[in-house]
Amino acid sequence: MKIAILSRNKKLYSTRRLKEAGEAMGHEVDIIDTLHCYMDITSTHSSVRYHGRELPKYDAIIPRIGASVTFYGTAVARQFEMMGTFNINESVAISRSRDKLRSLQLLSRKGVGLPRTGFASRPDNIKDLIKNVGG
């Protein structure tokens, strides 16, 4: 397989180990800095470009997207998904995991036990919010 690891730093231990493990299993593995990717979005031939060239077709991507680049990183991952590349951590899952309120809402909907949590947009609601969660 041809695999791309989307990572800001090819020297990170976890990124290096993923590359080594993939190559040990006979895969071709490239490490691509997510912030150096840019997308060409068309109805006939969308692509991801990197340092002035179109990236080849990858069978799979492994996103290693840090919190500081979530918006752009998930956009790049989504572009690969739209082009038919398998993503081991789908862009929507990454986005949901970074939105802690959304994560709590999804878990509570499925009946997962959670600590009582309050959320408000205005400071004048704080007294009632604290009372509601038990002090």
Side-chain angles (χ1 to χ4, degrees):
M1 287 181 69
K2 190 166 181 66
I3 301 169
I5 301 172
L6 303 180
S7 176
R8 293 274 301 126
N9 186 350
K10 65 182 176 183
K11 294 179 182 179
L12 286 175
Y13 174 77
S14 57
T15 300
R16 285 193 339 260
R17 285 294 297 130
L18 285 168
K19 180 176 173 65
E20 290 168 6
E23 290 174 342
M25 295 181 74
H27 302 296
E28 182 181 337
V29 182
D30 296 330
I31 299 172
I32 297 169
D33 184 335
T34 315
L35 293 186
H36 289 271
C37 292
Y38 49 102
M39 296 159 277
D40 185 9
I41 304 165
T42 70
S43 59
T44 57
H45 181 74
S46 292
S47 65
V48 178
R49 300 185 61 80
Y50 187 72
H51 293 299
R53 64 179 175 83
E54 183 176 332
L55 287 173
K57 170 78 173 126
Y58 287 99
D59 299 302
I61 60 168
I62 302 172
R64 310 276 300 144
I65 297 168
S68 65
V69 296
T70 298
F71 178 78
Y72 194 76
T74 55
V76 171
R78 193 169 43 252
Q79 182 67 17
F80 277 108
E81 292 166 4
M82 297 297 159
M83 294 165 40
T85 304
F86 176 75
N87 183 352
I88 66 163
N89 294 315
E90 291 182 352
S91 58
V92 69
I94 295 168
S95 296
R96 285 180 178 167
S97 72
R98 298 288 163 80
D99 182 342
K100 300 308 177 206
L101 177 62
R102 174 93 169 122
S103 295
L104 287 171
Q105 291 169 324
L106 291 169
L107 290 169
S108 71
R109 183 173 69 187
K110 295 296 183 180
V112 174
L114 302 167
R116 190 148 185 189
T117 304
F119 185 78
S121 67
R122 299 186 47 89
D124 55 341
N125 295 321
I126 296 297
K127 268 189 174 178
D128 188 50
L129 188 120
I130 291 171
K131 182 178 145 200
N132 265 352
V133 298

